[in-house]
Amino acid sequence: MPQSNYLKEMSWAAFTERKKETDLAIIPVGAIEPYGHHLPMGSDTLVAGRLAELVAARTGAVIGPVLEAGDSAMLDEFPGTITISPESFKGYLNDVVNSLLKWGFKDFLFLNGHAGNVGIISQIAYSLRERQEIRKAQIDIWRFMKTVDQNVLQSGGLAHSHAGEAGTSVMLALYPELVNRELTRSVERKSPDAFPEIMKYGKLSDNSEWGTMGNSALATAEKGQLLVNRAVDRMVQFLQEEWGLKDTAQRQEAQTGE
């Protein structure tokens, strides 16, 4: 049986042995909210989990509990949206981190698929800053994807918008069976934003009755796979160069002495 990197799939005895090999815990975080008519509402969580699997496969990290829902108050008028209050989310995530700290983890990588969770995760990370032995980093997945795009996508400024070309392409690469290509479409703001530099706190439906933004019709699995590959490579590069972690092949060579 292939070795799983998920904590939830290990026996406690298997975990005890596995923990001897790594101090890195990956915590995937997502949301359950509208992604138009063509994507499942758990897209943020699904992508965060799969990226965690890909990074763990190359680093030997343990994947902790997946936080499936977050603060989606901006979209809670759409049917099915699950909204976790910031206080509840922070309390739960803080307990997860403290449990992992108890079992000796010192490195924490939060793979976060939902912008509404960024600030809460940052608060928990900053609360640990006095502990010099603890390292922590957050990947804000959809903003992170912009940095590895490098002309992969075609739809300009809205390419990385909500369930647009980027999000749909990544889902086509990772979960094609959950994407309804027939329902992709181009969605633009109902009215231009004259002050894009100012944070505003309306609802998504103020600008999109569809629950998306951008042109998801331009999405392809090939584009999504390029984004995923580049994103995972960059994450692993960070863990190796900044935190000094070895990839799976290097660790196996060190153990065998080859």
Side-chain angles (χ1 to χ4, degrees):
M1 178 183 298
Q3 177 177 262
S4 172
N5 291 314
Y6 277 103
L7 176 60
K8 63 186 178 184
E9 295 179 359
M10 302 176 192
S11 70
W12 70 265
F15 167 74
T16 300
E17 292 303 310
R18 183 65 182 281
K19 180 60 192 67
K20 297 175 182 178
E21 302 174 2
T22 185
D23 286 329
L24 174 60
I26 301 176
I27 303 178
V29 180
I32 297 178
E33 63 183 27
Y35 256 82
H37 295 193
H38 65 292
L39 292 180
M41 291 199 296
S43 293
D44 287 342
T45 305
L46 291 166
V47 170
R50 184 59 59 86
L51 291 177
E53 293 170 9
L54 294 171
V55 173
R58 292 176 56 179
T59 61
V62 169
I63 303 173
V66 179
L67 277 69
E68 299 227 346
D71 182 6
S72 294
M74 181 182 176
L75 303 107
D76 63 6
E77 64 193 304
F78 287 90
T81 301
I82 303 296
T83 297
I84 307 300
S85 72
E87 296 79 11
S88 296
F89 183 90
K90 183 178 179 180
Y92 186 89
L93 180 55
N94 195 58
D95 286 345
V96 168
V97 170
N98 283 332
S99 293
L100 293 170
L101 285 169
K102 175 181 178 179
W103 301 120
F105 288 97
K106 297 179 180 178
D107 299 328
F108 293 85
L109 180 65
F110 300 93
L111 286 187
N112 174 29
H114 179 55
N117 301 330
V118 171
I120 306 170
I121 295 171
S122 294
Q123 290 176 23
I124 291 175
Y126 279 124
S127 73
L128 296 169
R129 61 185 170 186
E130 300 303 322
R131 297 185 59 175
Q132 299 299 316
E133 78 280 13
I134 305 299
R135 298 184 291 194
K136 54 272 177 191
Q138 176 179 185
I139 303 292
D140 180 9
I141 291 171
W142 299 115
R143 268 51 60 187
F144 186 81
M145 287 291 180
K146 289 184 180 181
T147 68
V148 299
D149 183 344
Q150 300 169 7
N151 300 317
V152 171
L153 305 179
Q154 299 171 267
S155 49
L158 290 178
H160 291 271
S161 55
H162 192 74
E165 186 181 359
T168 304
S169 292
V170 169
M171 282 296 291
L172 281 169
L174 300 180
Y175 295 96
E177 71 279 7
L178 298 180
V179 181
N180 189 334
R181 289 298 304 270
E182 295 180 359
L183 295 179
T184 57
R185 63 182 298 177
S186 179
V187 178
E188 297 185 2
R189 293 178 61 90
K190 292 180 181 179
S191 58
D193 186 355
F195 299 94
E197 71 277 19
I198 296 176
M199 295 179 67
K200 296 171 281 291
Y201 298 92
K203 291 180 175 291
L204 181 61
S205 62
D206 293 342
N207 287 296
S208 171
E209 296 176 357
W210 192 256
T212 67
M213 194 66 65
N215 192 349
S216 57
L218 292 176
T220 68
E222 291 74 20
K223 294 175 184 176
Q225 194 61 59
L226 276 172
L227 292 176
V228 168
N229 291 346
R230 291 177 180 179
V232 171
D233 284 346
R234 185 64 173 167
M235 293 179 208
V236 172
Q237 182 184 15
F238 164 76
L239 293 171
Q240 292 176 339
E241 296 184 7
E242 293 292 321
W243 287 5
L245 304 185
K246 297 180 180 179
D247 64 26
T248 302
Q250 290 173 324
R251 289 187 296 104
Q252 290 175 343
E253 289 179 4
Q255 290 172 354
T256 59
E258 295 179 359

